[in-house]
Amino acid sequence: SDEYKVYVSGSSMDAVDLIKKIMPEIILLDIVMPILNGYDLCRIIRNERELWSIPVIFITSQNDEKDIVKGFEAGAVDYIKKPFILSELKARLRTHLRIKKLEKYLLEQNKTLAEANNKKNKFIGIAAHDLRNPLQAIMGYADLLLLECTQEKTYQKEFLNNIIDSSNFMLSLI
């Protein structure tokens, strides 16, 4: 097909090496293969760190319910029964490739958000430190003025107590 470049492995034993070499966007597997069946090959792919995110679709004549469930348990993202309809296969390929592209986009966005969150936390830490020192100075001066206040200056005591209470509140926010 002109839409997709297709690679074929001669054996299930060589498939992992070929997959690592070409790093395909998607993998189509049959279940019935000599030496290593598709389920085992899918599990191997899922356990390889650089390959685990490549979607695997089974295309097989094994269409018993147990086979289908076993395929998904092995790590497949889809299961197509033979004989298949080419237009359906292409539609499923487009869907899974779009999902993979969106997953990659989400991972990139999460990374960007995590970096922004770290910068925000660092900024808040710096701001909190820079605000704490002047607040403590304000509270200290208010305490000193409160000690020197005479009994007849109750309104000044009230103002100073408001300053101290507000400063304590701001410190608790920081």
Side-chain angles (χ1 to χ4, degrees):
S1 168
D2 293 336
E3 293 178 70
Y4 304 102
K5 189 168 186 176
V6 178
Y7 295 87
V8 179
S9 177
S11 77
S12 56
M13 299 304 287
D14 297 333
V16 174
D17 291 334
L18 177 64
I19 292 167
K20 285 181 180 180
K21 181 180 174 185
I22 62 172
M23 293 303 289
E25 293 291 315
I26 201 160
I27 299 168
L28 304 177
L29 280 181
D30 198 343
I31 291 172
V32 180
M33 295 186 287
I35 304 170
L36 193 64
N37 68 42
Y39 302 125
D40 292 334
L41 182 54
C42 187
R43 283 187 201 93
I44 290 169
I45 291 167
R46 288 291 164 255
N47 288 324
E48 291 285 331
R49 186 168 189 233
E50 66 269 26
L51 305 179
W52 70 267
S53 67
I54 301 172
V56 175
I57 298 175
F58 280 115
I59 300 180
T60 184
S61 59
Q62 305 292 93
N63 45 6
D64 184 65
E65 183 180 337
K66 291 177 188 175
D67 294 317
I68 296 168
V69 171
K70 194 172 178 181
F72 284 113
E73 287 173 348
V77 297
D78 209 343
Y79 196 102
I80 301 171
K81 300 174 189 175
K82 289 181 185 176
F84 61 87
I85 301 165
L86 185 58
S87 59
E88 177 188 356
L89 172 62
K90 288 180 178 182
R92 288 179 188 232
L93 287 172
R94 281 190 299 274
T95 297
H96 288 291
L97 290 170
R98 191 173 106 251
I99 290 169
K100 183 180 178 187
K101 185 177 180 180
L102 291 171
E103 286 174 344
K104 183 179 178 183
Y105 174 76
L106 286 174
L107 287 172
E108 290 169 359
Q109 291 301 305
N110 283 342
K111 184 179 176 184
T112 301
L113 287 172
E115 289 170 359
N117 192 43
N118 288 338
K119 287 179 183 177
K120 175 208 52 138
N121 288 342
K122 190 174 182 178
F123 172 77
I124 288 174
I126 292 168
H129 179 267
D130 289 350
L131 290 172
R132 192 174 286 121
N133 290 339
L135 277 173
Q136 288 173 335
I138 290 168
M139 290 172 62
Y141 289 131
D143 281 335
L144 286 174
L145 289 172
L146 195 58
L147 290 174
E148 294 186 15
C149 244
T150 60
Q151 289 290 23
E152 55 275 349
K153 296 188 178 181
T154 56
Y155 69 93
Q156 288 178 342
K157 285 184 179 181
E158 185 181 331
F159 292 158
L160 290 169
N161 281 321
N162 285 340
I163 291 171
I164 293 169
D165 290 344
S166 295
S167 298
N168 277 322
F169 177 72
M170 288 180 70
L171 275 176
S172 70
L173 289 177
I174 293 171

